[in-house]
Amino acid sequence: AMPYLTVFDAAPLRIRANTFYVKACGQSKAYPVSNNTITVSLALTVSLKTSDSSCITLSGLVNTQGPSGPSLPITYLSAHNVFGPQAIWNRVAGTLKLTLVSDLGPGSLLIFSFIVTNPSGEQLAASVSIAASGTAAIAAQGMIADSENATSETATV
Protein backbone atom coordinates (compact mmCIF):
# COMPACT_ATOMS: atom_id res chain seq x y z
CA ALA A 1 0.00 0.00 0.00
CA MET A 2 1.15 3.47 -0.83
CA PRO A 3 1.94 5.61 2.22
CA TYR A 4 0.79 9.21 2.54
CA LEU A 5 -2.67 8.51 1.15
CA THR A 6 -5.41 11.00 1.81
CA VAL A 7 -9.15 10.50 2.21
CA PHE A 8 -9.51 11.71 -1.39
CA ASP A 9 -7.49 8.75 -2.68
CA ALA A 10 -10.40 6.44 -1.84
CA ALA A 11 -12.70 8.21 -4.33
CA PRO A 12 -13.38 6.11 -7.44
CA LEU A 13 -10.93 6.72 -10.27
CA ARG A 14 -9.01 9.40 -8.45
CA ILE A 15 -5.56 9.09 -10.04
CA ARG A 16 -2.47 10.82 -8.72
CA ALA A 17 -0.16 12.74 -11.03
CA ASN A 18 3.19 11.22 -11.99
CA THR A 19 5.41 12.61 -9.26
CA PHE A 20 7.82 11.93 -6.44
CA TYR A 21 5.73 11.99 -3.28
CA VAL A 22 8.79 11.30 -1.13
CA LYS A 23 11.88 13.30 -2.14
CA ALA A 24 14.26 13.93 0.76
CA CYS A 25 18.01 14.39 0.88
CA GLY A 26 20.33 14.71 3.89
CA GLN A 27 24.01 14.68 4.76
CA SER A 28 26.29 13.22 7.42
CA LYS A 29 28.96 15.93 7.74
CA ALA A 30 28.97 19.72 7.40
CA TYR A 31 32.75 20.14 7.67
CA PRO A 32 35.16 21.32 4.93
CA VAL A 33 37.06 18.63 3.01
CA SER A 34 35.23 15.79 4.79
CA ASN A 35 33.80 12.65 3.28
CA ASN A 36 30.08 13.37 3.38
CA THR A 37 27.46 10.63 3.08
CA ILE A 38 24.47 11.96 1.16
CA THR A 39 21.30 9.99 1.92
CA VAL A 40 18.33 10.09 -0.45
CA SER A 41 14.77 8.88 0.25
CA LEU A 42 12.32 8.69 -2.62
CA ALA A 43 9.02 7.17 -3.69
CA LEU A 44 7.00 7.67 -6.83
CA THR A 45 3.33 7.47 -7.76
CA VAL A 46 4.20 5.66 -10.98
CA SER A 47 6.26 2.65 -12.06
CA LEU A 48 9.63 2.99 -13.75
CA LYS A 49 10.70 0.08 -15.97
CA THR A 50 14.14 -1.04 -17.07
CA SER A 51 12.71 -1.87 -20.52
CA ASP A 52 12.18 1.89 -21.05
CA SER A 53 15.75 2.81 -20.02
CA SER A 54 14.31 4.59 -17.00
CA CYS A 55 16.61 6.65 -14.83
CA ILE A 56 16.51 9.14 -11.99
CA THR A 57 18.77 12.18 -11.92
CA LEU A 58 19.73 14.26 -8.91
CA SER A 59 21.05 17.73 -9.69
CA GLY A 60 22.34 20.70 -7.74
CA LEU A 61 25.04 18.79 -5.82
CA VAL A 62 27.65 21.40 -6.73
CA ASN A 63 31.08 22.38 -5.38
CA THR A 64 32.20 18.95 -4.20
CA GLN A 65 35.78 17.78 -4.60
CA GLY A 66 37.14 14.69 -6.32
CA PRO A 67 36.74 13.15 -9.75
CA SER A 68 33.66 12.59 -11.90
CA GLY A 69 33.04 9.13 -13.28
CA PRO A 70 30.68 6.32 -14.22
CA SER A 71 31.17 4.32 -11.03
CA LEU A 72 30.23 6.24 -7.87
CA PRO A 73 29.31 3.50 -5.33
CA ILE A 74 25.71 3.41 -4.08
CA THR A 75 24.74 1.92 -0.70
CA TYR A 76 21.14 0.80 -0.20
CA LEU A 77 19.45 1.40 3.15
CA SER A 78 16.14 -0.07 1.95
CA ALA A 79 15.46 -3.49 0.45
CA HIS A 80 15.20 -2.19 -3.12
CA ASN A 81 18.47 -2.43 -5.07
CA VAL A 82 17.07 -1.00 -8.30
CA PHE A 83 20.07 0.96 -9.60
CA GLY A 84 22.79 -1.62 -9.09
CA PRO A 85 26.00 -0.93 -7.17
CA GLN A 86 26.99 2.37 -8.80
CA ALA A 87 25.82 5.56 -10.52
CA ILE A 88 27.23 8.12 -12.96
CA TRP A 89 28.64 11.13 -11.09
CA ASN A 90 29.40 14.45 -12.80
CA ARG A 91 31.16 16.54 -10.15
CA VAL A 92 31.38 19.72 -12.26
CA ALA A 93 27.67 19.71 -13.15
CA GLY A 94 26.70 18.39 -9.70
CA THR A 95 24.56 15.57 -11.11
CA LEU A 96 24.10 11.94 -10.17
CA LYS A 97 22.43 9.73 -12.79
CA LEU A 98 20.96 6.44 -11.58
CA THR A 99 19.85 3.99 -14.28
CA LEU A 100 17.42 1.27 -13.24
CA VAL A 101 18.62 -2.34 -13.39
CA SER A 102 15.30 -3.64 -12.02
CA ASP A 103 11.78 -2.21 -12.12
CA LEU A 104 10.60 0.22 -9.45
CA GLY A 105 6.91 0.06 -8.57
CA PRO A 106 4.71 2.89 -7.36
CA GLY A 107 4.70 3.36 -3.61
CA SER A 108 8.05 1.66 -3.07
CA LEU A 109 10.15 3.65 -0.60
CA LEU A 110 13.76 3.66 -1.76
CA ILE A 111 16.57 4.87 0.51
CA PHE A 112 20.17 4.95 -0.66
CA SER A 113 23.37 6.86 -0.01
CA PHE A 114 26.62 7.83 -1.69
CA ILE A 115 29.76 9.63 -0.55
CA VAL A 116 31.12 12.93 -1.84
CA THR A 117 33.97 15.10 -0.55
CA ASN A 118 32.93 18.51 0.77
CA PRO A 119 34.46 21.71 -0.60
CA SER A 120 37.33 23.40 1.23
CA GLY A 121 35.32 26.44 2.32
CA GLU A 122 31.99 27.47 3.75
CA GLN A 123 28.92 27.48 1.50
CA LEU A 124 25.15 27.57 1.83
CA ALA A 125 23.14 24.38 1.42
CA ALA A 126 22.72 23.13 -2.14
CA SER A 127 19.32 23.33 -3.86
CA VAL A 128 19.03 19.68 -4.83
CA SER A 129 16.38 18.54 -7.31
CA ILE A 130 15.25 15.16 -8.61
CA ALA A 131 13.81 14.14 -11.99
CA ALA A 132 12.87 10.92 -13.78
CA SER A 133 12.90 9.81 -17.41
CA GLY A 134 11.92 6.65 -19.24
CA THR A 135 8.58 5.02 -18.44
CA ALA A 136 7.39 8.30 -16.93
CA ALA A 137 8.88 11.74 -17.43
CA ILE A 138 8.86 13.70 -14.20
CA ALA A 139 10.26 17.22 -14.43
CA ALA A 140 12.83 18.33 -11.87
CA GLN A 141 11.37 18.89 -8.41
CA GLY A 142 13.10 20.39 -5.39
CA MET A 143 14.05 17.95 -2.65
CA ILE A 144 13.47 18.63 1.04
CA ALA A 145 16.10 18.42 3.78
CA ASP A 146 16.01 15.01 5.44
CA SER A 147 16.36 15.56 9.17
CA GLU A 148 15.73 11.87 9.92
CA ASN A 149 19.16 11.01 8.51
CA ALA A 150 20.92 13.86 10.32
CA THR A 151 23.75 12.85 12.63
CA SER A 152 24.86 14.55 15.82
CA GLU A 153 27.30 16.47 13.61
CA THR A 154 24.57 17.97 11.38
CA ALA A 155 21.55 18.09 13.69
CA THR A 156 20.32 21.52 14.74
CA VAL A 157 21.33 22.36 18.29
Side-chain angles (χ1 to χ4, degrees):
M2 209 181 313
Y4 311 108
L5 295 177
T6 69
V7 65
F8 302 107
D9 289 312
L13 293 175
R14 188 243 195 257
I15 309 299
R16 288 176 169 241
N18 293 348
T19 191
F20 294 93
Y21 66 91
V22 174
K23 49 186 177 184
C25 188
Q27 70 173 1
S28 66
K29 295 208 171 118
Y31 304 120
V33 198
S34 295
N35 283 342
N36 190 357
T37 301
I38 305 296
T39 302
V40 175
S41 302
L42 65 88
L44 298 104
T45 58
V46 64
S47 293
L48 292 179
K49 307 277 186 193
T50 58
S51 59
D52 297 324
S53 301
S54 293
C55 66
I56 290 175
T57 303
L58 301 177
S59 57
L61 296 162
V62 295
N63 299 329
T64 61
Q65 296 186 15
S68 295
S71 58
L72 184 70
I74 301 297
T75 301
Y76 292 90
L77 306 172
S78 61
H80 308 289
N81 180 351
V82 298
F83 304 121
Q86 54 200 16
I88 299 170
W89 172 243
N90 183 322
R91 182 192 62 79
V92 175
T95 59
L96 183 73
K97 183 177 181 181
L98 303 130
T99 302
L100 272 75
V101 297
S102 64
D103 295 347
L104 180 62
S108 299
L109 179 62
L110 179 60
I111 304 171
F112 63 92
S113 65
F114 56 96
I115 297 173
V116 297
T117 302
N118 287 339
S120 61
E122 178 183 20
Q123 71 179 25
L124 297 175
S127 294
V128 181
S129 61
I130 188 168
S133 62
T135 307
I138 301 175
Q141 303 175 2
M143 299 188 79
I144 61 167
D146 185 357
S147 59
E148 286 188 27
N149 286 306
T151 66
S152 59
E153 297 174 359
T154 58
T156 304
V157 188

Short mmCIF file of all heavy atoms in Angstrom, two decimals, residues 57-91:
data_model
loop_
_atom_site.label_atom_id
_atom_site.label_comp_id
_atom_site.label_asym_id
_atom_site.label_seq_id
_atom_site.Cartn_x
_atom_site.Cartn_y
_atom_site.Cartn_z
N THR A 57 17.62 11.28 -11.98
CA THR A 57 18.77 12.18 -11.92
C THR A 57 18.61 13.17 -10.78
O THR A 57 17.57 13.82 -10.65
CB THR A 57 18.92 12.95 -13.25
OG1 THR A 57 19.05 12.00 -14.32
CG2 THR A 57 20.14 13.86 -13.22
N LEU A 58 19.64 13.24 -9.94
CA LEU A 58 19.73 14.26 -8.91
C LEU A 58 20.60 15.38 -9.46
O LEU A 58 21.63 15.10 -10.09
CB LEU A 58 20.37 13.71 -7.64
CG LEU A 58 19.70 12.54 -6.96
CD1 LEU A 58 20.52 12.09 -5.76
CD2 LEU A 58 18.29 12.90 -6.53
N SER A 59 20.23 16.61 -9.23
CA SER A 59 21.05 17.73 -9.69
C SER A 59 21.13 18.79 -8.60
O SER A 59 20.34 18.80 -7.67
CB SER A 59 20.50 18.32 -10.99
OG SER A 59 19.16 18.72 -10.83
N GLY A 60 22.12 19.65 -8.72
CA GLY A 60 22.34 20.70 -7.74
C GLY A 60 23.38 20.37 -6.69
O GLY A 60 23.60 21.16 -5.76
N LEU A 61 24.02 19.22 -6.79
CA LEU A 61 25.04 18.79 -5.82
C LEU A 61 26.39 19.38 -6.21
O LEU A 61 27.33 18.66 -6.55
CB LEU A 61 25.08 17.26 -5.76
CG LEU A 61 23.80 16.61 -5.25
CD1 LEU A 61 23.76 15.14 -5.63
CD2 LEU A 61 23.70 16.78 -3.75
N VAL A 62 26.49 20.70 -6.19
CA VAL A 62 27.65 21.40 -6.73
C VAL A 62 28.72 21.68 -5.68
O VAL A 62 28.46 21.63 -4.48
CB VAL A 62 27.22 22.73 -7.39
CG1 VAL A 62 26.36 22.46 -8.61
CG2 VAL A 62 26.48 23.61 -6.41
N ASN A 63 29.92 21.97 -6.18
CA ASN A 63 31.08 22.38 -5.38
C ASN A 63 31.67 21.28 -4.52
O ASN A 63 32.29 21.56 -3.49
CB ASN A 63 30.76 23.61 -4.52
CG ASN A 63 30.39 24.80 -5.36
OD1 ASN A 63 30.87 24.95 -6.48
ND2 ASN A 63 29.52 25.64 -4.85
N THR A 64 31.52 20.04 -4.91
CA THR A 64 32.20 18.95 -4.20
C THR A 64 33.61 18.83 -4.77
O THR A 64 33.93 19.43 -5.79
CB THR A 64 31.46 17.61 -4.36
OG1 THR A 64 31.43 17.27 -5.74
CG2 THR A 64 30.06 17.69 -3.79
N GLN A 65 34.43 18.04 -4.12
CA GLN A 65 35.78 17.78 -4.60
C GLN A 65 35.87 16.35 -5.12
O GLN A 65 35.00 15.53 -4.83
CB GLN A 65 36.79 18.01 -3.48
CG GLN A 65 36.83 19.43 -3.01
CD GLN A 65 37.95 19.66 -2.00
OE1 GLN A 65 38.85 18.86 -1.84
NE2 GLN A 65 37.87 20.79 -1.31
N GLY A 66 36.92 16.05 -5.83
CA GLY A 66 37.14 14.69 -6.32
C GLY A 66 36.74 14.55 -7.77
O GLY A 66 36.20 15.46 -8.38
N PRO A 67 36.97 13.37 -8.32
CA PRO A 67 36.74 13.15 -9.75
C PRO A 67 35.29 12.81 -10.08
O PRO A 67 34.53 12.34 -9.24
CB PRO A 67 37.64 11.94 -10.05
CG PRO A 67 37.66 11.18 -8.77
CD PRO A 67 37.62 12.23 -7.68
N SER A 68 34.92 13.07 -11.34
CA SER A 68 33.66 12.59 -11.90
C SER A 68 33.90 11.18 -12.40
O SER A 68 35.04 10.74 -12.53
CB SER A 68 33.23 13.47 -13.07
OG SER A 68 32.95 14.78 -12.66
N GLY A 69 32.84 10.46 -12.71
CA GLY A 69 33.04 9.13 -13.28
C GLY A 69 31.78 8.30 -13.32
O GLY A 69 30.76 8.65 -12.71
N PRO A 70 31.84 7.19 -14.03
CA PRO A 70 30.68 6.32 -14.22
C PRO A 70 30.48 5.30 -13.10
O PRO A 70 29.64 4.43 -13.22
CB PRO A 70 31.00 5.60 -15.54
CG PRO A 70 32.49 5.50 -15.51
CD PRO A 70 32.97 6.77 -14.85
N SER A 71 31.23 5.40 -12.02
CA SER A 71 31.17 4.32 -11.03
C SER A 71 31.19 4.82 -9.58
O SER A 71 31.95 4.32 -8.77
CB SER A 71 32.31 3.34 -11.27
OG SER A 71 33.55 4.03 -11.18
N LEU A 72 30.35 5.80 -9.26
CA LEU A 72 30.23 6.24 -7.87
C LEU A 72 29.43 5.17 -7.10
O LEU A 72 28.30 4.86 -7.47
CB LEU A 72 29.52 7.59 -7.77
CG LEU A 72 29.43 8.17 -6.37
CD1 LEU A 72 30.82 8.61 -5.88
CD2 LEU A 72 28.48 9.35 -6.33
N PRO A 73 30.01 4.56 -6.06
CA PRO A 73 29.31 3.50 -5.33
C PRO A 73 28.04 3.99 -4.65
O PRO A 73 28.00 5.08 -4.09
CB PRO A 73 30.34 3.05 -4.28
CG PRO A 73 31.66 3.47 -4.82
CD PRO A 73 31.39 4.75 -5.58
N ILE A 74 27.02 3.16 -4.72
CA ILE A 74 25.71 3.41 -4.08
C ILE A 74 25.51 2.37 -2.99
O ILE A 74 25.75 1.19 -3.20
CB ILE A 74 24.57 3.28 -5.11
CG1 ILE A 74 24.75 4.27 -6.26
CG2 ILE A 74 23.20 3.47 -4.45
CD1 ILE A 74 24.72 5.71 -5.88
N THR A 75 25.06 2.82 -1.81
CA THR A 75 24.74 1.92 -0.70
C THR A 75 23.24 1.99 -0.47
O THR A 75 22.67 3.09 -0.36
CB THR A 75 25.49 2.35 0.58
OG1 THR A 75 26.90 2.32 0.32
CG2 THR A 75 25.16 1.43 1.74
N TYR A 76 22.60 0.85 -0.39
CA TYR A 76 21.14 0.80 -0.20
C TYR A 76 20.81 0.63 1.27
O TYR A 76 21.34 -0.26 1.94
CB TYR A 76 20.53 -0.33 -1.02
CG TYR A 76 20.64 -0.06 -2.50
CD1 TYR A 76 21.75 -0.48 -3.22
CD2 TYR A 76 19.67 0.68 -3.15
CE1 TYR A 76 21.88 -0.19 -4.56
CE2 TYR A 76 19.79 0.99 -4.49
CZ TYR A 76 20.90 0.55 -5.19
OH TYR A 76 21.02 0.85 -6.51
N LEU A 77 19.91 1.47 1.77
CA LEU A 77 19.45 1.40 3.15
C LEU A 77 18.04 0.82 3.21
O LEU A 77 17.50 0.62 4.29
CB LEU A 77 19.49 2.79 3.80
CG LEU A 77 20.87 3.48 3.70
CD1 LEU A 77 20.80 4.91 4.19
CD2 LEU A 77 21.91 2.69 4.48
N SER A 78 17.44 0.59 2.06
CA SER A 78 16.14 -0.07 1.95
C SER A 78 16.36 -1.36 1.16
O SER A 78 17.44 -1.60 0.62
CB SER A 78 15.13 0.83 1.25
OG SER A 78 15.55 1.14 -0.06
N ALA A 79 15.33 -2.17 1.07
CA ALA A 79 15.46 -3.49 0.45
C ALA A 79 15.58 -3.42 -1.08
O ALA A 79 15.99 -4.38 -1.70
CB ALA A 79 14.26 -4.35 0.82
N HIS A 80 15.23 -2.29 -1.66
CA HIS A 80 15.20 -2.19 -3.12
C HIS A 80 16.56 -1.79 -3.67
O HIS A 80 17.04 -0.70 -3.43
CB HIS A 80 14.15 -1.15 -3.56
CG HIS A 80 12.81 -1.38 -2.96
ND1 HIS A 80 12.01 -2.43 -3.33
CD2 HIS A 80 12.14 -0.72 -2.00
CE1 HIS A 80 10.89 -2.39 -2.63
NE2 HIS A 80 10.94 -1.37 -1.82
N ASN A 81 17.17 -2.68 -4.45
CA ASN A 81 18.47 -2.43 -5.07
C ASN A 81 18.22 -2.26 -6.56
O ASN A 81 18.59 -3.09 -7.37
CB ASN A 81 19.40 -3.61 -4.79
CG ASN A 81 20.76 -3.45 -5.40
OD1 ASN A 81 21.01 -2.54 -6.17
ND2 ASN A 81 21.65 -4.36 -5.05
N VAL A 82 17.54 -1.15 -6.93
CA VAL A 82 17.07 -1.00 -8.30
C VAL A 82 18.05 -0.34 -9.25
O VAL A 82 17.87 -0.40 -10.46
CB VAL A 82 15.73 -0.24 -8.36
CG1 VAL A 82 14.64 -1.00 -7.62
CG2 VAL A 82 15.88 1.17 -7.83
N PHE A 83 19.11 0.28 -8.74
CA PHE A 83 20.07 0.96 -9.60
C PHE A 83 21.38 0.19 -9.76
O PHE A 83 22.27 0.63 -10.48
CB PHE A 83 20.41 2.35 -9.06
CG PHE A 83 19.21 3.24 -8.86
CD1 PHE A 83 18.92 3.74 -7.61
CD2 PHE A 83 18.39 3.56 -9.92
CE1 PHE A 83 17.83 4.56 -7.42
CE2 PHE A 83 17.29 4.38 -9.74
CZ PHE A 83 17.00 4.88 -8.48
N GLY A 84 21.52 -0.92 -9.07
CA GLY A 84 22.79 -1.62 -9.09
C GLY A 84 23.77 -0.97 -8.12
O GLY A 84 23.39 -0.10 -7.33
N PRO A 85 25.05 -1.36 -8.18
CA PRO A 85 26.00 -0.93 -7.17
C PRO A 85 26.61 0.46 -7.39
O PRO A 85 27.34 0.96 -6.54
CB PRO A 85 27.09 -1.99 -7.24
CG PRO A 85 27.06 -2.43 -8.67
CD PRO A 85 25.60 -2.38 -9.06
N GLN A 86 26.34 1.09 -8.54
CA GLN A 86 26.99 2.37 -8.80
C GLN A 86 26.14 3.27 -9.70
O GLN A 86 25.20 2.81 -10.33
CB GLN A 86 28.36 2.16 -9.42
CG GLN A 86 28.34 1.31 -10.65
CD GLN A 86 29.71 0.72 -10.96
OE1 GLN A 86 30.59 0.69 -10.13
NE2 GLN A 86 29.87 0.23 -12.17
N ALA A 87 26.52 4.56 -9.73
CA ALA A 87 25.82 5.56 -10.52
C ALA A 87 26.84 6.42 -11.26
O ALA A 87 28.03 6.38 -10.97
CB ALA A 87 24.96 6.43 -9.61
N ILE A 88 26.36 7.22 -12.19
CA ILE A 88 27.23 8.12 -12.96
C ILE A 88 27.26 9.47 -12.25
O ILE A 88 26.22 10.12 -12.08
CB ILE A 88 26.73 8.27 -14.41
CG1 ILE A 88 26.73 6.92 -15.10
CG2 ILE A 88 27.60 9.28 -15.16
CD1 ILE A 88 26.04 6.92 -16.45
N TRP A 89 28.45 9.89 -11.84
CA TRP A 89 28.64 11.13 -11.09
C TRP A 89 29.35 12.15 -11.96
O TRP A 89 30.42 11.87 -12.51
CB TRP A 89 29.46 10.84 -9.83
CG TRP A 89 29.89 12.04 -9.06
CD1 TRP A 89 31.18 12.44 -8.83
CD2 TRP A 89 29.06 12.98 -8.38
NE1 TRP A 89 31.19 13.57 -8.06
CE2 TRP A 89 29.89 13.93 -7.77
CE3 TRP A 89 27.68 13.13 -8.25
CZ2 TRP A 89 29.41 15.01 -7.04
CZ3 TRP A 89 27.20 14.20 -7.52
CH2 TRP A 89 28.05 15.12 -6.92
N ASN A 90 28.76 13.35 -12.10
CA ASN A 90 29.40 14.45 -12.80
C ASN A 90 29.63 15.55 -11.77
O ASN A 90 28.72 16.30 -11.43
CB ASN A 90 28.55 14.95 -13.96
CG ASN A 90 29.24 16.04 -14.75
OD1 ASN A 90 29.93 16.90 -14.20
ND2 ASN A 90 29.03 16.02 -16.06
N ARG A 91 30.84 15.61 -11.23
CA ARG A 91 31.16 16.54 -10.15
C ARG A 91 30.99 17.99 -10.59
O ARG A 91 30.45 18.80 -9.86
CB ARG A 91 32.58 16.31 -9.65
CG ARG A 91 32.96 17.23 -8.50
CD ARG A 91 34.44 17.20 -8.20
NE ARG A 91 35.26 17.65 -9.30
CZ ARG A 91 35.47 18.93 -9.63
NH1 ARG A 91 34.90 19.88 -8.93
NH2 ARG A 91 36.24 19.25 -10.63
#
